[in-house]
Amino acid sequence: MRKIAAGLFVSLDGVTESPEKWHFTYFSDEMGAAVGAQMAAADTMLLGRRTYEEFAGYWPSQAGTGNQLADQMNDTPKLVVSTTLDKVEWQNSTLIKDNVVEELTKLKEQPGKDISITGSATLVRSLLRAGVLDELRLLVHPIVVGSGKRLFEDGGDQVPLKLIDSQTFSTGVLYLTYGLADK
């Protein structure tokens, strides 16, 4: 069975917004290997509307530049969860507007690699609370950002998790992998 795994850059105070403003100081070969392993383990990307719009505004223009990451981003099948979009135009993208949990549950039962979520904190929260997210992979950076959107800022029901794996990188970043406690 396939898993849905979310990988997020998070500050010590829980901020996930605008990691380009605080993340790169902590980037290392160790982190690159961890992110690369996440990407290699997946054959489908799952994106919320905002992350989709950001990515679709950038990655298609990088096609044909020799950038392997751009080729991977453009060529990988993408599922976009949105109630406000009417269409998605970035190549290999499919829109999911309704019955998200049902659609993703069916997809998990099909053969294939992991389904990865990058960014998309609102989507991650909703899938975690619905019990559809299998792994939450957090790269916790040793910085207090102070302001910005947080991974868990909207309250909601408690979701017990269990620690599956942890690593400490030389930059002080913690790589924490959690699953649902009842799985």
Side-chain angles (χ1 to χ4, degrees), residues 117-148:
I117 305 174
T118 301
S120 306
T122 302
L123 177 61
V124 169
R125 281 192 301 270
S126 68
L127 296 181
L128 184 62
R129 290 190 174 118
V132 179
L133 186 72
D134 298 291
E135 288 187 4
L136 182 59
R137 300 170 181 167
L138 303 176
L139 287 158
V140 182
H141 294 58
I143 184 171
V144 174
V145 175
S147 64

Side-chain angles (χ1 to χ4, degrees), residues 58-72 74:
Y58 178 76
W59 290 111
S61 68
Q62 302 303 304
T65 63
N67 180 335
Q68 283 184 309
L69 181 57
D71 293 342
Q72 185 173 4
N74 288 315

Side-chain angles (χ1 to χ4, degrees), residues 6-54:
L8 296 157
F9 297 139
V10 182
S11 69
L12 196 56
D13 56 341
V15 174
T16 57
E17 183 179 24
S18 301
E20 71 281 359
K21 295 178 181 175
W22 48 266
H23 152 75
F24 288 107
T25 310
Y26 301 97
F27 190 83
S28 65
D29 289 343
E30 296 164 301
M31 187 182 297
V35 171
Q38 286 179 30
M39 291 179 74
D43 63 6
T44 305
M45 289 192 306
L46 181 58
L47 304 167
R49 179 193 52 84
R50 280 178 281 214
T51 303
Y52 167 78
E53 289 176 338
E54 286 176 25

Side-chain angles (χ1 to χ4, degrees), residues 1 10 13 25 30 36 40 55 58 60 63 74 76 87 101 113 124 130 136 147 150 164-165 169 174 177 181:
M1 184 174 204
V10 182
D13 56 341
T25 310
E30 296 164 301
F55 284 10
Y58 178 76
N74 288 315
T76 299
K87 61 183 177 179
V101 170
K113 293 180 168 184
V124 169
L136 182 59
S147 64
R150 289 169 164 70
I164 296 171
D165 189 37
F169 297 153
L174 297 175
T177 304

